[in-house]
Amino acid sequence: MLNAKVAEKLNAQINSELFASHLYFSIAAYFSSRDLPGMSSWFQAHSVEEHEHAKKLFDFMQKRGARITITELEAPKTEFTSPTDAWETAYNHEKLVTAAIHDIFEVAAEAKEYGTTAMLQWFLDEQVEEEDTFRRNFMLAKAAGDDEWNLQDLDARLGSRNA
Ligand SMILES: [Fe+2]
Ligand SMILES: [Fe+2]
């Protein structure tokens, strides 16, 4: 049976991955309204990825016989002052996720839940990749600034890439 404190943390993380999915779908809607379909599809794909992260944790908890509860989601931010602002919001969110994974890892290690720390290794690696990708794209958006031509050019590049 999974340690209760660890189960609680993992359950919270499932809900937080669902929130990330929600937030990225909201950012996709913003980019769509800004006529930046490439960035919109990038965030739509990433929204699906976050849902897959929730499912990964769900499957793990299920295997360990832990009770999973799905909670109400906070409303995501819907208005952004610029494409750079939207990218920065996403990058900052990834940093929060990394901190949350570190916290669960510490609690699991303390509880000697080594199956959980082993499973979380995937999430630690994933966060290194994600922070790098989001930081890089944020930087590119910042470099494009408010220039429509630069933004459309970056949009075309990001649209041809997978999240
Ligand atoms: Fe995630
Ligand atoms: Fe993520």
Side-chain angles (χ1 to χ4, degrees):
M1 196 62 181
L2 195 57
N3 171 280
K5 215 168 147 197
V6 174
E8 194 186 309
K9 291 269 178 193
L10 288 174
N11 196 92
Q13 191 58 29
I14 289 178
N15 288 289
S16 128
E17 297 287 347
L18 291 175
F19 173 73
S21 174
H22 211 40
L23 176 65
Y24 295 161
F25 215 37
S26 178
I27 294 177
Y30 163 74
F31 280 127
S32 173
S33 78
R34 276 290 272 101
D35 279 320
L36 294 163
M39 295 192 200
S40 180
S41 77
W42 195 96
F43 272 96
Q44 284 178 45
H46 212 86
S47 172
V48 171
E49 260 193 38
E50 298 300 345
H51 199 279
E52 283 164 4
H53 296 169
K55 196 182 169 323
K56 230 179 221 302
L57 295 166
F58 188 106
D59 292 345
F60 178 79
M61 285 187 75
Q62 193 169 40
K63 261 189 214 159
R64 300 295 317 268
R67 176 75 173 100
I68 302 154
T69 49
I70 299 305
T71 63
E72 188 178 15
L73 294 180
E74 185 190 323
K77 186 173 170 180
T78 54
E79 302 305 329
F80 303 91
T81 56
S82 63
T84 307
D85 179 38
W87 278 106
E88 188 170 24
T89 300
Y91 175 45
N92 285 339
H93 190 73
E94 287 298 328
K95 287 193 275 190
L96 285 179
V97 172
T98 301
I101 300 290
H102 287 184
D103 177 53
I104 308 170
F105 192 95
E106 275 165 29
V107 172
E110 209 175 297
K112 296 189 168 34
E113 271 288 352
Y114 299 123
T116 302
T117 55
M119 181 276 294
L120 287 174
Q121 190 60 53
W122 184 90
F123 282 86
L124 291 175
D125 294 339
E126 175 73 4
Q127 282 313 115
V128 170
E129 292 304 317
E130 298 223 331
E131 274 199 36
D132 180 47
T133 308
F134 279 76
R135 184 192 56 78
R136 175 108 196 111
N137 290 343
F138 165 46
M139 202 199 75
L140 289 171
K142 205 158 65 171
D146 295 325
D147 184 279
E148 277 307 318
W149 182 252
N150 285 346
L151 283 169
Q152 291 297 335
D153 189 52
L154 180 59
D155 187 72
R157 283 164 60 193
L158 290 174
S160 64
R161 258 187 238 169
N162 279 328

